[in-house]
Amino acid sequence: MNFPKSVTIVEVGPRDGFQSEPLFVATDKKVELIERLSEAGVKRIEITSFVSPEAVPQLSDSELVAARLPKKPGTSYSALTPNLRGLERAIRAGMADIALFVSASETHNQKNVRMSIEESLRAFRQMARKALNGGLRMRGYVATAFGCEYEGRVLPKQVERIVTEYIAMGISEVSLGDTTGMANPLAVREMIRSLKPVLGQTALALHFHDTRGTGIANVLAAIEEGAQIFDCSIGGLGGCPASRTSSGNIATEDLVGMLHEMGIDTGIDLDALIECARYAARITGRQLPGRLPNAGRINWNGTAPDL
Ligand code: COA
Ligand code: ZN
């Protein structure tokens, strides 16, 4: 098997994780986590969402977070924008990278952003022109790409349709979201294979939630299909206690730990990353699902890990 020499990690904990924490995490602590992740060598961090503060009160401090980014050279900081209002806020806040998001399932999109898929796409066309004119880079998320808790199966052609629209808008990267952990390695392979002809030069990222324990297996299947960009959350942050099927992304430290053991580089300092995960647990006040902060990284010298 020819594995890549390196892959790109996109840390989404400050956005995907904090948006579903039961308690509001103080702005200072959010900023400090972003600083620590940047120092650990994470090159891409999704820091917040410019969404309605009524819809996601946990991220109502997006302007404040954006104003205090460490701006480490070579590191990109991105934010989610659901509509034109969100994009304008992101531009005013000085963001250079934004992410559009729409669900492949009609019901999920309605519940998430109170728009039909078509209405979201219509808004994105206008947003994309504005973003590209302003020199911003755009990522396009397809949420519920591998299944929807309301509609069940999602067909690759539903995903393809959105990806095709995104590419026409000028996005530079698509991220396929397994929002509620319904993917499996075979489904991931099939999805990537069916999308390859549509994607052309557009980069592909995979975004797995580990709701049912298939997250890291899904990453491996994706790597075997040539994917090289993976979203994950420090500590495995995320998961709304109100939803039975919602849970965090795969934990960044666990994924990076496994990749490094396989000789696949991420440019990230694993020890510093594990410290970031411990910090994330402290500021959320709860035990997080990531494994390495408890188990310690593998120590091939045979001495017991220092915990
Ligand atoms: N930022 C701040 N406020 C916004 C906003 C934005 N991007 N978009 C809309 N609003 C405000 C409007 O100004 C309006 O305020 P008002 O009542 O004081 O006039 C209010 O929100 C309702 O606006 P409306 O256009 O009717 O939006 P909505 O209530 O239908 O909500 C979204 C649509 C998209 C704004 C909202 O559902 C949302 O932010 N969802 C995000 C969901 C999310 O982040 N999910 C997780 C990511 S996958
Ligand atoms: Zn997610």
Side-chain angles (χ1 to χ4, degrees):
M1 186 69 227
N2 267 343
F3 289 117
K5 286 198 170 46
S6 66
V7 300
T8 299
I9 295 294
V10 181
E11 169 61 46
V12 297
R15 192 278 300 175
D16 206 338
F18 287 153
Q19 78 182 10
S20 42
E21 276 304 309
L23 299 176
F24 181 83
V25 176
T27 309
D28 282 352
K29 293 174 176 160
K30 287 176 177 157
V31 171
E32 179 162 351
L33 180 65
I34 295 166
E35 281 167 358
R36 288 178 181 228
L37 288 161
S38 304
E39 282 310 307
V42 181
K43 294 287 186 302
R44 292 181 58 183
I45 307 176
E46 198 169 78
I47 57 139
T48 191
S49 292
F50 290 93
V51 290
S52 148
E54 271 95 63
V56 189
Q58 295 91 329
L59 301 184
S60 56
D61 58 353
S62 11
E63 272 82 2
L64 299 174
V65 173
R68 293 178 49 194
L69 292 179
K71 301 221 169 77
K72 192 163 188 248
T75 305
S76 90
Y77 303 93
S78 62
L80 241 61
T81 55
N83 54 15
L84 188 60
R85 169 97 189 268
L87 174 66
E88 286 166 350
R89 288 174 60 203
I91 292 173
R92 272 198 304 277
M95 300 302 300
D97 286 88
I98 54 137
L100 307 172
F101 62 101
V102 63
S103 308
S105 132
E106 199 63 68
T107 314
H108 191 271
N109 205 58
Q110 272 296 348
K111 287 189 187 281
N112 197 29
V113 290
R114 311 208 319 163
M115 286 184 262
S116 66
I117 295 176
E118 215 39 68
E119 284 166 333
S120 281
L121 293 173
R122 199 175 315 133
F124 293 168
R125 285 183 206 109
Q126 187 190 3
M127 290 161 70
R129 282 194 293 275
K130 193 176 174 75
L132 291 176
N133 278 339
L136 276 71
R137 269 188 307 269
M138 295 182 294
R139 152 183 268 214
Y141 274 108
V142 186
T144 63
F146 295 93
C148 167
E149 57 189 319
Y150 308 106
E151 293 185 8
R153 209 163 285 285
V154 167
L155 301 173
K157 70 173 193 307
Q158 291 170 263
V159 176
E160 256 173 61
R161 177 180 155 241
I162 294 170
V163 170
T164 306
E165 292 270 0
Y166 269 148
I167 292 173
M169 292 174 207
I171 56 152
S172 53
E173 178 176 290
V174 171
S175 179
L176 299 184
D178 184 21
T179 310
T180 49
M182 293 165 79
N184 65 65
L186 187 63
V188 170
R189 278 181 181 283
E190 285 170 354
M191 180 66 77
I192 295 178
R193 281 184 193 178
S194 77
L195 278 184
K196 264 180 197 157
V198 182
L199 278 166
Q201 294 307 305
T202 309
L204 174 68
L206 282 306
H207 177 110
F208 297 119
H209 283 258
D210 203 21
T211 319
R212 296 182 174 80
T214 57
I216 284 198
N218 291 336
V219 169
L220 188 63
I223 289 179
E224 288 174 354
E225 287 299 324
Q228 301 201 4
I229 307 171
F230 297 100
D231 297 357
C232 40
S233 276
I234 192 70
L237 272 177
C240 170
S243 163
R244 201 171 55 81
T245 50
S246 156
S247 85
N249 298 80
I250 44 178
T252 312
E253 66 276 20
D254 294 353
L255 178 59
V256 167
M258 180 187 85
L259 293 170
H260 287 189
E261 288 299 323
M262 294 170 69
I264 302 173
D265 189 25
T266 62
I268 298 172
D269 174 341
L270 181 58
D271 290 317
L273 196 62
I274 291 172
E275 284 311 314
C276 290
R278 291 181 179 143
Y279 181 71
R282 286 206 295 283
I283 64 178
T284 53
R286 63 186 185 97
Q287 168 103 35
L288 296 177
R291 310 293 177 87
L292 291 199
N294 294 319
R297 63 182 296 173
I298 296 173
N299 179 348
W300 290 108
N301 294 326
T303 46
D306 180 16
L307 292 180

